Amino acid sequence: MPALACCVDAAPLPCPAFAFTGGLSFPAPITFPAAAPPFTTGEINSHWSPSMSAELYNINGWGAPYFTVNSSGNVAVCPHGSATLGHQEIDLLKIVKKATDSISCGGLGLQLPLMVRFPDILKNRLESLQSAFDYAIQSGGYSSHYQGVYPVKCNQDRFIVEDIVKFGSSFRFGLEAGSKPELLLAMSCLCKGSAEGLLVCNGFKDAEYISLALVARKLALNTVIVLEQEEELDMIIDLSKKLCIRPVIGFRAKLRTKHSGHFGSTSGEKGKFGLTTAQIVRVVKKLQILGMLDCLQLLHFHIGSMIPSTLLLADGVSEAAQIYCELVRMGANMRVIDIGGGLGIDYNGSKSSDSDVSVGYGLEEYAAAVVEAVQRVCDKRSVKHPVICSESGRAIVSHQSVLVFEAFGCNSSTAATTNALSSLLGLQYLLEGLSEGVHADYRNLCATAIRGEHDACLLYIEEMKKRCLDEFKEGSLGMEELAGIDGLYDVVRKAVATAEESESVRTYHVNMSVFTSIPDFWGIQQVFPILPIHRLDEKPTVKGVLSDLTCDSDGKVDRFINGESSLPLHEIGDGHKYYLGMFLGGAYQEALGGLHNLFGGPSVVRVSQSDGPQGFAVTSAESGPSCGDVLRAMQHQPELMFETLKHRAFEHLREDSLLTAEAVTSGLAHSFNNTPYLVVASSQS
């Protein structure tokens, strides 16, 4: 994404390099009509409150302690978690207004969709995780310590990784890398971190990866090369001798313990990574023969992401602790047990251990289960307590960002059915030769169809069919005409039945791409909390699904955390903005997002709590990729494309044309530099 500003609110974002000049303009996006609300606003809101919205969307379940609803009916962010004071809460709608207002009005001039990052939440998550383990260690008499690492694959954003190293430096927080670019990233960042912070090197490795890891150790980084495959050991031994660098080695064990949910599919004896018991024994023997058994210092395992219960967690940790103790018995210089990832978050707020999107524990229970399991096994085997390490990426970064996007219109099955019924106006030929009474019934049917009055449609089609049947019995109506009326009757009945089944669910058109911003929803059916970020002092009267901008039937959100296929929403229209937020999406979504339909990533702002009048400060702002940027990412050359089109314009447009070549090329330049998303006209929020 092209950086537009990396400073505080006062710094305006520069205008695009190309802008429309002359009189060239494009039409505003179409706004779909919404049906009239069944009650007046006063009637709806007199029995509704922000706290009722908080309960409806279960914000206190999945959002605590970072998100709540304020008295204005807007989502409020508590940047310091449960320690946030009342005056420190940040109104999310005010951030959106600041980001999207024009520069001339004191805003940043960014386009939606918008990613809002909260470094304060990231800091609080790190501190909370460390605090949970510190408490479990101190209260249980555990004789070693905890130090975590962040797996950068969860979100490789520069500022997030740098913040984690900075915020975690005081408690020896490190990084985990699973590829060569991630390793280079981690090496660079940890130069500014704690000297004791671990650099855990996971993933498949070639000679260059291993060489980089060995060089990192030479650069005084606390680097551990973790064997994922037995064959990697020979490369480590060979390269360490060539470079004269003594390695620190760990390995990933394939445990028997695994969980059966979606996120446990890579664990167990048939998992993608790790060494079996027989392979572990062979590695130990080889290192012993080479006089390198002292290099083996870390045991790593992973029983799957989103571990649902502490019972399953303790079972896996206990199995790994037994392996750890066996390695000590065999003479290895063991120091660290790395329990991997798996610390889950509660996406739906149900605190359930029977769901792929929830977990039945909190940070404190998780830490206590780990510490107690390791301590119990080590004490029984008379083994010194190891340093406990975890790779809890999802739990660290999920809360720190919110994706905000706009619903720019909606339609419903009712509207579609009304259109279908309205097409009855084109069936005038059916009435040829019929009586004036049938003609009158048809006119009434068409009028009610246009108005969407389905009950009245049924009354008129029943009357029309009865009248025609009577005329047939009297001999004044032929069989062909009666068959035509019977067919019309079936069409109307079926259309009305369809409307009655689904008319309560509307499709809200939203200015974002599911494939770019919520790829896990499309790919693995992961649900995330989604709700309006304002108007929560009003009762939502509509059930809706969300349809994105992509030309793909999968570009929709029709599964939500309440287990329903629709989301409670408000009526939109009358020139008012309607903003929705997706929460808990800070892990994996950005790295996995693609360029389907060439929609790029969102604009991004970083927001910190401030004692100023608005309660926050925008510390950096970045516009989302332009059309030219996403084209360039797919190997196109926007500059050459522009020159081709410019030449074409001057070749085919006359100077006296209303649409001049200069105006067209100016508009083309603007389009290459503008956002791929819709630019919705400003209006009142």
Side-chain angles (χ1 to χ4, degrees):
M1 301 180 192
L4 294 188
C6 291
C7 46
V8 295
D9 312 54
L13 300 178
C15 296
F18 300 108
F20 273 124
T21 59
L24 193 61
S25 62
F26 288 85
I30 297 172
T31 300
F32 293 86
F39 307 103
T40 66
T41 302
E43 290 173 334
I44 293 172
N45 297 332
S46 61
H47 303 294
W48 199 256
S49 65
S51 62
M52 296 172 75
S53 285
E55 182 177 356
L56 176 67
Y57 297 106
N58 197 19
I59 297 175
N60 295 331
W62 57 261
Y66 301 108
F67 304 103
T68 185
V69 182
N70 63 24
S71 59
S72 298
N74 302 331
V75 170
V77 181
C78 303
H80 310 299
S82 56
T84 305
L85 303 177
H87 72 279
Q88 294 176 323
E89 290 186 0
I90 302 173
D91 191 316
L92 187 55
L93 184 63
K94 291 182 179 179
I95 297 175
V96 175
K97 180 174 174 57
K98 174 69 177 178
T100 58
D101 275 356
S102 65
I103 296 173
S104 61
C105 294
L108 298 173
L110 297 176
Q111 296 290 339
L112 294 181
L114 176 71
M115 181 74 74
V116 186
R117 300 199 196 282
F118 297 96
D120 294 325
I121 291 181
L122 186 62
K123 184 173 185 288
N124 185 266
R125 291 300 292 174
L126 280 168
E127 292 172 346
S128 298
L129 179 61
Q130 184 70 39
S131 177
F133 271 99
D134 287 347
Y135 179 79
I137 286 169
Q138 293 167 11
S139 61
Y142 193 83
S143 61
S144 190
H145 65 273
Y146 166 80
Q147 58 182 98
V149 300
Y150 169 65
V152 296
K153 68 179 181 181
C154 286
N155 194 322
Q156 300 97 334
D157 179 80
R158 169 195 164 192
F159 294 107
I160 289 176
V161 179
E162 289 180 353
D163 279 346
I164 287 173
V165 171
K166 179 176 67 174
F167 297 151
S169 179
S170 62
F171 33 84
R172 298 170 285 210
F173 221 86
L175 298 174
E176 180 267 350
S179 67
K180 285 181 279 190
E182 286 185 353
L183 179 54
L184 290 167
L185 180 161
M187 289 168 62
S188 174
C189 288
L190 283 175
C191 287
K192 299 179 181 179
S194 168
E196 297 179 70
L198 288 166
L199 172 51
V200 177
C201 301
N202 287 334
F204 291 111
K205 304 171 187 69
D206 61 7
E208 185 177 9
Y209 184 116
I210 294 170
S211 296
L212 281 171
L214 291 169
V215 168
R217 184 134 196 98
K218 197 69 172 178
L219 297 177
L221 297 174
N222 191 11
T223 310
V224 182
I225 304 174
V226 177
L227 299 180
E228 302 282 8
Q229 307 291 321
E230 185 179 2
E231 295 78 14
E232 294 171 356
L233 179 61
D234 290 334
M235 281 195 293
I236 294 173
I237 293 169
D238 180 56
L239 289 167
S240 65
K241 289 179 179 178
K242 288 180 179 179
L243 296 173
C244 298
I245 300 172
R246 191 80 170 171
V248 172
I249 300 172
F251 63 78
R252 177 168 171 167
K254 286 184 178 180
L255 302 188
R256 273 74 167 179
T257 306
K258 62 175 291 184
H259 73 78
S260 58
H262 168 83
F263 294 104
S265 60
T266 59
S267 61
E269 291 181 276
K270 296 182 180 180
K272 179 178 179 181
F273 295 110
L275 277 61
T276 63
T277 302
Q279 290 173 321
I280 292 171
V281 172
R282 287 200 296 267
V283 165
V284 172
K285 296 296 184 183
K286 180 175 286 189
L287 290 172
Q288 188 176 38
I289 292 170
L290 294 171
M292 296 178 65
L293 196 52
D294 63 304
C295 296
L296 184 57
Q297 299 182 16
L298 180 145
L299 169 65
H300 171 47
F301 67 94
H302 179 65
I303 61 174
S305 297
M306 290 287 291
I307 296 172
S309 69
T310 54
L311 185 63
L312 176 63
L313 172 68
D315 189 28
V317 173
S318 295
E319 181 185 349
Q322 292 289 358
I323 297 174
Y324 181 94
C325 292
E326 281 295 293
L327 292 169
V328 172
R329 181 186 64 79
M330 296 169 73
N333 184 29
M334 300 302 292
R335 293 180 53 252
V336 181
I337 184 166
D338 179 354
I339 65 174
L343 172 54
I345 63 170
D346 198 351
Y347 286 101
N348 64 10
S350 65
K351 295 180 173 57
S352 169
S353 58
D354 299 321
S355 169
D356 279 340
V357 294
S358 183
V359 292
Y361 54 82
L363 293 179
E364 293 76 14
E365 293 90 347
Y366 177 88
V370 171
V371 173
E372 195 277 331
V374 175
Q375 184 173 3
R376 183 182 66 253
V377 172
C378 289
D379 286 350
K380 186 176 181 180
R381 300 286 299 271
S382 300
V383 169
K384 182 181 178 181
H385 297 165
V387 172
I388 295 175
C389 173
S390 75
E391 302 176 6
S392 305
R394 186 189 303 268
I396 291 173
V397 298
S398 290
H399 300 76
Q400 54 81 34
S401 67
V402 180
L403 177 69
V404 179
F405 50 93
E406 181 182 359
F408 61 88
C410 78
N411 63 6
S412 66
S413 58
T414 303
T417 305
T418 297
N419 290 336
L421 292 173
S422 297
S423 67
L424 296 174
L425 289 168
L427 303 179
Q428 187 74 30
Y429 67 90
L430 286 174
L431 277 70
E432 293 179 4
L434 301 185
S435 67
E436 178 56 35
V438 176
H439 277 263
D441 290 337
Y442 179 78
R443 287 193 295 271
N444 289 329
L445 172 63
C446 291
T448 53
I450 291 171
R451 295 194 297 269
E453 298 173 359
H454 301 146
D455 289 342
C457 284
L458 293 177
L459 290 175
Y460 284 118
I461 194 62
E462 291 279 2
E463 179 62 28
M464 190 174 179
K465 181 176 180 179
K466 181 178 181 301
R467 192 187 300 274
C468 289
L469 180 60
D470 290 342
E471 292 181 4
F472 176 76
K473 290 178 179 179
E474 293 172 0
S476 58
L477 186 70
M479 185 176 293
E480 294 88 349
E481 290 82 6
L482 182 62
I485 296 301
D486 285 343
L488 177 62
Y489 175 85
D490 291 340
V491 168
V492 173
R493 293 283 300 184
K494 185 178 294 184
V496 170
T498 301
E500 290 177 346
E501 288 176 4
S502 59
E503 66 179 356
S504 60
V505 179
R506 297 185 190 172
T507 299
Y508 277 61
H509 303 277
V510 294
N511 194 11
M512 64 98 167
S513 163
V514 167
F515 304 92
T516 297
S517 294
I518 326 178
D520 271 350
F521 177 85
W522 170 72
I524 60 172
Q525 291 75 55
Q526 170 77 48
V527 296
F528 297 89
I530 298 176
L531 70 152
I533 67 166
H534 60 144
R535 294 181 62 183
L536 297 175
D537 54 346
E538 304 175 26
K539 182 178 181 179
T541 58
V542 178
K543 292 181 179 180
V545 297
L546 309 180
S547 177
D548 74 359
L549 296 179
T550 64
C551 301
D552 196 304
S553 59
D554 286 339
K556 62 183 178 180
V557 181
D558 55 3
R559 296 184 303 278
F560 302 92
I561 63 167
N562 58 2
E564 299 291 334
S565 58
S566 62
L567 182 70
L569 296 169
H570 303 86
E571 296 282 354
I572 60 174
D574 300 326
H576 290 268
K577 298 281 190 179
Y578 192 54
Y579 298 116
L580 301 168
M582 186 200 79
F583 298 78
L584 307 187
Y588 298 108
Q589 303 316 294
E590 294 174 64
L592 293 174
L595 289 174
H596 187 279
N597 264 178
L598 293 185
F599 286 112
S603 302
V604 180
V605 293
R606 282 166 49 87
V607 176
S608 294
Q609 186 265 319
S610 167
D611 292 331
Q614 289 189 311
F616 67 89
V618 177
T619 58
S620 69
E622 187 177 335
S623 176
S626 67
C627 293
D629 293 329
V630 294
L631 286 166
R632 195 174 291 108
M634 299 301 291
Q635 309 305 313
H636 297 281
Q637 297 177 292
E639 294 79 12
L640 294 181
M641 295 166 68
F642 171 73
E643 289 300 325
T644 299
L645 293 170
K646 179 181 177 180
H647 177 77
R648 188 81 166 188
F650 278 94
E651 182 180 9
H652 288 273
L653 295 175
R654 301 188 310 272
E655 290 185 7
D656 60 347
S657 171
L658 180 63
L659 196 62
T660 66
E662 288 82 2
V664 167
T665 55
S666 178
L668 288 168
H670 174 80
S671 294
F672 274 108
N673 198 68
N674 205 11
T675 174
Y677 293 94
L678 299 186
V679 180
V680 182
S682 299
S683 62
Q684 184 179 357
S685 298

